[in-house]
Amino acid sequence: MKKDIFIILPFKESLNPNHAGAVSLYVKDTTKFSKYKNLIKIIFSDDFDRSDLFRNKNYITNFCKKFKNNKIKIIEIHNRPEYLPYIKQHFPDSKIQLIFHNDPLSLRGSTSIHERENIIKNCHKVIFISHWIQQRFFSGFKNSSLSNTIVIPHGIKKDKKVNINKKKKQILFVGKLNRAKGYHIFIDAAKKFKNYDSTWKFIAIGNEARKNIFPDPSIVKEIGYLKNSDVLNFYAESEISIGNSVWEEPLGRIAIESSSRKCLPIISNKGGLAESKNIAIVLKNNDSKEIFSLLKKITNDIKFRRDKQNLFYKNNNFEIKTISKNLDTVRSILLKTSTIKQEDF
């Protein structure tokens, strides 16, 4: 079947569930519910000979060579603005979308105002997964026209079968095990709490290439990287999750995923995390003292805990089917205005 929509993942991102990152999960989940899923081809590193892939430039130039004769109607670039000039040059008739998953000022190809102005000029639609990322993109602009930009966040399918009364006394940390994610603060809070109540378990899910934080395993049990479906199962069986990032998170999946399984999220107020404030308890001070204090209240007051778990589940409006539909709405407009002849669907 002819593919009219090509989605380009960043170099090193994979659809393999054992290695999928946040961008891959976004693409995989939204494509699953897309009305155009049979017209979509997802491009990732595994599609090419890895011996030829040493950096982003080789990856995107190999893509351009391989598909240069394809009449592609829409090309969606995810989180790599540096790919845009190559796509623009080799596919002049294609509609181009660029989707930002991280701070544009930290990505090659969008750090300067001039580069970001060119992105607005050369893309038919620019999509951000959070309002915080959108605001960062327009930082320094004299005239900020949002007309060809839109915010479409991550989504999740809520689990209606979670039995809230069968949850285990587990407190989760999910993410890279480093200081930027606040892992050192989490560990310190866990030490304090284990001295107060040793019946609760602290579990860390994730890894870190340059790991330098090693907790006492009797306090925090590290179980390494897990595929997303397994992480969701942990949320479903656990009472509390903590995502106390120190750095400016672009959005943060922890509150979205955790609340969808009625696991009570505690988050910091950094970057795009603030956009999850209706489905999580937000820390006023991201320190072990406040986390310890909160954990005492939450674990001792089961009514408070259940009320918050149910409320955040109800408030979670990051429905994956709606997110996918919003992406399809943008695609429908681009397909109708495509300069390439549109096929019947």
Side-chain angles (χ1 to χ4, degrees), residues 264-307:
L264 197 162
I266 299 171
I267 62 173
S268 58
N269 190 23
K270 300 294 289 184
L273 280 174
E275 295 172 42
S276 302
K277 63 183 179 182
N278 291 330
I279 56 173
I281 293 177
V282 181
L283 294 166
K284 294 179 180 179
N285 299 299
N286 188 5
D287 56 41
S288 61
K289 182 180 179 180
E290 183 176 353
I291 293 174
F292 170 61
S293 179
L294 261 177
L295 289 179
K296 282 204 302 182
K297 176 177 176 57
I298 294 167
T299 56
N300 285 326
D301 190 341
I302 190 168
K303 183 180 184 303
F304 175 83
R305 188 163 76 244
R306 294 290 180 255
D307 286 348

Side-chain angles (χ1 to χ4, degrees), residues 96-290:
I96 302 174
Q97 291 189 154
L98 179 55
I99 302 181
F100 282 95
H101 297 257
N102 290 99
D103 182 357
L105 304 187
S106 69
L107 299 174
R108 284 193 299 269
S110 61
T111 57
S112 71
I113 293 176
H114 176 70
E115 288 173 329
R116 283 175 276 136
E117 287 175 339
N118 280 336
I119 288 170
I120 292 295
K121 179 181 178 181
N122 291 306
C123 288
H124 296 85
K125 185 66 75 172
V126 182
I127 299 173
F128 310 96
I129 68 161
S130 73
H131 292 280
W132 180 81
I133 296 177
Q134 185 185 51
Q135 291 168 1
R136 292 288 288 170
F137 181 88
F138 286 106
S139 175
F141 274 49
K142 292 182 179 179
N143 297 305
S144 302
S145 174
L146 307 182
S147 59
N148 71 328
T149 73
I150 189 172
V151 175
I152 304 179
H154 283 285
I156 191 73
K157 183 179 181 182
K158 293 198 287 189
D159 189 346
K160 298 178 181 179
K161 297 180 180 179
V162 172
N163 189 333
I164 201 169
N165 295 314
K166 289 188 176 181
K167 284 183 172 290
K168 299 177 183 178
K169 297 171 73 172
Q170 294 178 168
I171 301 169
L172 305 178
F173 181 96
V174 180
K176 291 185 177 180
L177 309 183
N178 58 32
R179 290 182 174 271
K181 290 288 188 179
Y183 188 47
H184 59 302
I185 300 172
F186 171 82
I187 289 173
D188 194 38
K191 288 179 183 178
K192 288 181 171 66
F193 192 83
K194 290 290 277 188
N195 286 330
Y196 167 77
D197 185 348
S198 62
T199 64
W200 285 75
K201 294 181 179 179
F202 287 80
I203 298 173
I205 303 173
N207 54 20
E208 172 57 41
R210 295 175 293 276
K211 196 172 188 305
N212 56 24
I213 303 174
F214 300 93
D216 183 336
S218 67
I219 296 174
V220 177
K221 182 181 180 181
E222 296 184 346
I223 60 176
Y225 176 87
L226 296 179
K227 60 184 179 182
N228 188 244
S229 59
D230 291 336
V231 173
L232 293 176
N233 288 336
F234 263 94
Y235 285 134
E237 68 177 27
S238 302
E239 290 277 9
I240 303 165
S241 67
I242 299 177
N244 61 310
S245 286
V246 174
W247 78 299
E248 304 282 357
E249 289 278 358
L251 176 62
R253 292 178 63 95
I254 188 165
I256 297 172
E257 293 185 345
S258 183
S259 63
S260 78
R261 267 58 182 171
K262 296 188 178 181
C263 179
L264 197 162
I266 299 171
I267 62 173
S268 58
N269 190 23
K270 300 294 289 184
L273 280 174
E275 295 172 42
S276 302
K277 63 183 179 182
N278 291 330
I279 56 173
I281 293 177
V282 181
L283 294 166
K284 294 179 180 179
N285 299 299
N286 188 5
D287 56 41
S288 61
K289 182 180 179 180
E290 183 176 353

Side-chain angles (χ1 to χ4, degrees), residues 80-99:
R80 289 296 179 268
E82 63 186 293
Y83 296 169
L84 179 58
Y86 300 94
I87 298 300
K88 188 72 177 175
Q89 177 183 352
H90 290 88
F91 302 93
D93 294 324
S94 298
K95 301 291 184 180
I96 302 174
Q97 291 189 154
L98 179 55
I99 302 181

